[in-house]
Amino acid sequence: MSSDRDHQRIRSAFGARLVNTYGCNESLALAYGCGFGWLHVHSDWLILEPVDSDLRPTPPGRESFTVLLTSLCRWAQPILRYDLGDSVLLRPDACPCGDPLPAIKVRGRAADLLSFPRRDGGSVRIVPMAFETLLESIPDIDLFQIVQTAPSCVRVRIRSAAGADRDRLWAAVRKEMIALLTAHGAGQVSVERADEPPEQSPGGKYRVVIPRS
């Protein structure tokens, strides 16, 4: 989601009215933005359930640990209480914009941020999207997963495309990963090649990154 500053720059450059939207691979249109900064859920098409870490309902006005998605419009592939991994806050009262649909704010996946020590002291946190954008640009990767095994070490799990040169593919992945980490001041982080393939979470999802537990 873009910031208020980003909105102002885009509006100034293009003279356009901007609206935030919230979506995912499992449902491209979860919610749409209003002029008061809230996202209104398409509750006639889907159900979003904010829950805590034990999957119990989170009351309105309190940030959830994650949110469960149930689609009301998919016949061929139903989605029932699918764990999206996003923390959301459900508005406890009516939105001042007048839209009657449930209003939320999305806090994102803070639990999926990878934190590394910097060479110059302190630490740096990198969002999963940075790794996702990087590795999706490399040909011959069907699926990937980054696992942080220590403060300064990550393992990269790769499922390569059929016929791909795995050694050459790994060389490209390692080079780009090191370049990304170096750009964030964490060039000392070790990037290891994993023997095991990407693994699904208990909910059936392939997480792009798995932080150190």
Side-chain angles (χ1 to χ4, degrees):
M1 185 179 294
S2 55
S3 66
D4 291 340
R5 184 180 179 185
D6 292 333
H7 274 208
Q8 292 171 4
R9 293 180 62 189
I10 297 171
R11 280 197 297 264
S12 175
F14 297 99
R17 177 176 176 269
L18 301 182
V19 178
N20 278 324
T21 61
Y22 174 41
C24 62
N25 290 336
E26 294 75 24
S27 184
L28 297 180
L30 295 175
Y32 56 90
C34 73
F36 287 83
W38 290 85
L39 293 162
H40 290 272
V41 178
H42 290 285
S43 56
D44 51 343
W45 285 91
L46 53 91
I47 299 171
L48 284 181
E49 301 176 68
V51 295
D52 62 19
S53 58
D54 294 320
L55 303 184
R56 296 174 300 193
T58 303
R62 185 183 303 173
E63 291 185 11
S64 70
F65 176 78
T66 187
V67 63
L68 306 179
L69 166 66
T70 295
S71 173
L72 302 176
C73 59
R74 295 172 65 110
W75 293 82
Q77 185 184 23
I79 295 177
L80 304 175
R81 308 194 80 211
Y82 182 73
D83 187 347
L84 289 180
D86 289 337
S87 173
V88 305
L89 182 147
L90 177 64
R91 188 183 177 102
D93 55 1
C95 184
C97 77
D99 193 318
L101 295 180
I104 63 172
K105 286 192 175 180
V106 181
R107 305 304 187 190
R109 303 179 183 181
D112 281 352
L113 293 175
L114 294 185
S115 180
F116 303 104
R118 292 174 59 94
R119 286 190 184 276
D120 56 2
S123 62
V124 60
R125 303 178 79 189
I126 305 178
V127 298
M129 182 64 72
F131 296 105
E132 190 170 1
T133 302
L134 176 75
L135 295 184
E136 284 182 348
S137 68
I138 301 176
D140 293 331
I141 297 179
D142 276 350
L143 198 64
F144 57 86
Q145 192 171 61
I146 299 167
V147 184
Q148 185 177 21
T149 57
S152 294
C153 183
V154 293
R155 288 173 60 83
V156 185
R157 298 168 174 168
I158 297 174
R159 189 175 75 195
S160 58
D165 185 324
R166 295 183 179 180
D167 291 335
R168 181 175 297 179
L169 178 59
W170 168 245
V173 168
R174 186 174 184 277
K175 176 183 176 182
E176 295 299 329
M177 284 284 295
I178 291 175
L180 174 65
L181 291 164
T182 300
H184 285 80
Q188 78 284 2
V189 173
S190 174
V191 180
E192 299 180 347
R193 182 179 185 176
D195 295 325
E196 71 276 10
E199 297 177 358
Q200 289 178 294
S201 67
K205 188 165 189 162
Y206 284 102
R207 297 170 63 187
V208 174
V209 301
I210 301 177
R212 187 168 62 99
S213 57

